[in-house]
Amino acid sequence: MGCKKLLCLFVFSLLGVLYTTSYGGVKGQEVQHVQNIETIETPVDDTGDQERYFKLSKIASVLTVAMVLILCLLSSVLYANNRLRTKANKLLQQKNIELILEKENAEKANRAKAEFLSTITHELRTPLYAVTGLTHLLIEENPTDSQLEHLDSLKFSGEYLLSLVNNILDFNKLEKGGVEVGSEIFSPLRRLTDVVEALKSRAHERGNQLNLIVGPKVPEKVKGDALKISQIIINLVGNAIKFTENGSIDIYVNKVRDLKDNSVLLYFEVSDEGLGISKSKQENLFKGFSSESLQINTKYGGSGLGLSIVKRLLGLMDAEISVKSELGKGSKFFFELSFEVYEEEMSNTQVDLLSQINFEIMKGAKVLIVEDNKINQLITKKILQKQGVVCSIADNGEIAVDKAKNFEFDLILMDIHMPGITGLEATREIRKFDMRTPIIALTAVTLKDNLKEFYACGMTDVIPKPYKTDEFFLKLEKALTGQYV
């Protein structure tokens, strides 16, 4: 703006100079004319021509000076603009450098996060594999009815804990809606009964009574994500137990109405007689890592992540969680979900996956188990030996490569994280001299980036730990019958 003002001022000044010069010339002519009248008798000479020449020279000089001034002014304006442009370019370059650095830092943080998730997943899944594996072995040891009931609860708890670990470790994926919603046939009554059995002892420790109320019109079989339903109810009931003492906690489910395409809308509710939640706290109740208050969090523990997971899981299934609560009078959490009804006569036609497996081909099969954890070695070996499989153990990758060179195996089950060389490196070494033997990764690492690397190094397939028995034996059958070739 300063340059524009200066230019305008200069133009007006120039016009003033030109006007003054022209007006002065005209006035001079008038004076000269008067003098000529007064001295009309004076003889004429060439002074008039000289005066006109002088005036023209004066005007030319003024115009020249004006042009020089204009050029100087324009040069100043261009110089100022160039300085501003240079300054802006430097600022833009600096911002670009800062953005590049921020991008590099974000990429480093993402890589560190991925490495952390890979490591912690393995560390958490390994003991879970022992829990679920030993539970499976105990169930097959002909337990008594009371023992079987406890083992079923232990099995259910292990499956739920595995699901919870998966969702917490993959919380970023859960936030982006990347977690897939499963679909399986299950009994709502049986699922909720398992939840009650799993949490009954914890509730009794605080003097609470768990009550399960299932409406008469709730279908016996529905199709949906049973594990996520269990996780939602367990989080809600666990939260109710935490904030209720010597009270009653009700788990209620009933049919709302029938929907199209043989579906039904069910209403779920978990209510308690606990502390209750103030109106001001209810707004932030479902945000991650929050608690109703610092005092309650200190006294009862917890980070508030459970309710955040509940909200996100229901969001994946196009449902919303609602709450009604009053301080000192307890809380009520409720939501509605739609399910496809699965008729009982149709469920009788379902064939158990385990009944489809040909266990006869496993008898006498030679399998190398590469595993550094002694408990996991024992569990995998016992499960395989029950089917007549001949097992050999390798405590690390070096021993696995050496045994693969000197002995023939029908299948190699390869762990990934081991002392010395990893399972991936061991697989690469084995593939240098043996491209025939199937190598299945039996590992707790299941992140997608790792799976690509597993197949790239020469592995045949991947079985995540802890695994489901039917999935485990189905993949073993495929490997032993050459279906991977």
Side-chain angles (χ1 to χ4, degrees), residues 312-368:
R312 296 182 190 281
L313 290 177
L314 286 173
L316 293 177
M317 296 182 278
D318 298 323
E320 287 287 339
I321 182 75
S322 300
V323 59
K324 288 184 179 180
S325 182
E326 188 175 346
L327 283 175
K329 295 185 178 180
S331 304
K332 179 192 298 183
F333 293 85
F334 52 94
F335 58 91
E336 294 180 350
L337 279 175
S338 60
F339 298 91
E340 180 183 345
V341 178
Y342 203 79
E343 302 295 341
E344 185 63 29
E345 58 267 24
M346 296 174 65
S347 64
N348 290 334
T349 63
Q350 290 294 304
V351 180
D352 187 2
L353 286 175
L354 287 175
S355 65
Q356 297 178 329
I357 299 172
N358 182 11
F359 288 99
E360 289 297 320
I361 66 168
M362 298 184 187
K363 293 181 178 178
K366 293 176 286 185
V367 175
L368 175 62

Side-chain angles (χ1 to χ4, degrees), residues 76-95:
S76 300
V77 172
L78 292 174
Y79 176 74
N81 287 338
N82 186 59
R83 287 190 62 186
L84 290 174
R85 190 180 296 108
T86 303
K87 185 177 180 180
N89 288 336
K90 288 181 178 179
L91 182 62
L92 183 60
Q93 290 175 357
Q94 183 179 355
K95 292 295 182 182

Side-chain angles (χ1 to χ4, degrees), residues 184-387:
E184 60 181 298
I185 301 164
F186 70 96
S187 165
L189 175 60
R190 180 60 187 169
R191 270 289 149 176
L192 296 178
T193 301
D194 287 340
V195 171
V196 171
E197 290 297 322
L199 298 177
K200 185 165 57 177
S201 61
R202 181 181 166 192
H204 289 170
E205 288 177 358
R206 295 185 55 80
N208 296 319
Q209 179 65 40
L210 287 182
N211 304 311
L212 175 60
I213 306 159
V214 180
K217 295 184 178 181
V218 174
E220 293 186 9
K221 299 278 187 179
V222 297
K223 194 172 185 180
D225 196 321
L227 272 178
K228 285 185 176 57
I229 297 300
S230 299
Q231 185 173 350
I232 290 168
I233 299 299
I234 284 181
N235 272 316
L236 292 177
V237 175
N239 194 68
I241 293 172
K242 183 166 62 175
F243 298 115
T244 304
E245 192 170 4
N246 299 322
S248 179
I249 299 171
D250 295 332
I251 307 164
Y252 175 71
V253 59
N254 199 8
K255 186 175 91 169
V256 178
R257 62 179 180 274
D258 292 319
L259 302 174
K260 296 179 180 180
D261 301 326
N262 196 35
S263 296
V264 64
L265 185 65
L266 298 183
Y267 172 83
F268 294 84
E269 178 185 301
V270 176
S271 59
D272 62 67
E273 299 175 345
L275 298 173
I277 308 164
S278 64
K279 292 290 185 182
S280 60
K281 301 295 183 182
Q282 291 180 24
E283 296 179 0
N284 299 322
L285 195 59
F286 298 102
K287 293 183 178 180
F289 302 99
S290 65
S291 254
E292 197 273 343
S293 70
L294 180 61
Q295 292 81 7
I296 293 178
N297 185 50
T298 303
K299 182 176 180 180
Y300 296 96
S303 62
L305 184 59
L307 292 179
S308 177
I309 290 179
V310 166
K311 182 177 178 64
R312 296 182 190 281
L313 290 177
L314 286 173
L316 293 177
M317 296 182 278
D318 298 323
E320 287 287 339
I321 182 75
S322 300
V323 59
K324 288 184 179 180
S325 182
E326 188 175 346
L327 283 175
K329 295 185 178 180
S331 304
K332 179 192 298 183
F333 293 85
F334 52 94
F335 58 91
E336 294 180 350
L337 279 175
S338 60
F339 298 91
E340 180 183 345
V341 178
Y342 203 79
E343 302 295 341
E344 185 63 29
E345 58 267 24
M346 296 174 65
S347 64
N348 290 334
T349 63
Q350 290 294 304
V351 180
D352 187 2
L353 286 175
L354 287 175
S355 65
Q356 297 178 329
I357 299 172
N358 182 11
F359 288 99
E360 289 297 320
I361 66 168
M362 298 184 187
K363 293 181 178 178
K366 293 176 286 185
V367 175
L368 175 62
I369 302 171
V370 187
E371 172 67 66
D372 63 309
N373 187 288
K374 298 297 182 181
I375 297 178
N376 292 347
Q377 288 178 6
L378 175 65
I379 293 171
T380 305
K381 184 177 179 180
K382 279 184 172 287
I383 291 174
L384 291 175
Q385 285 180 337
K386 281 182 173 290
Q387 306 303 328

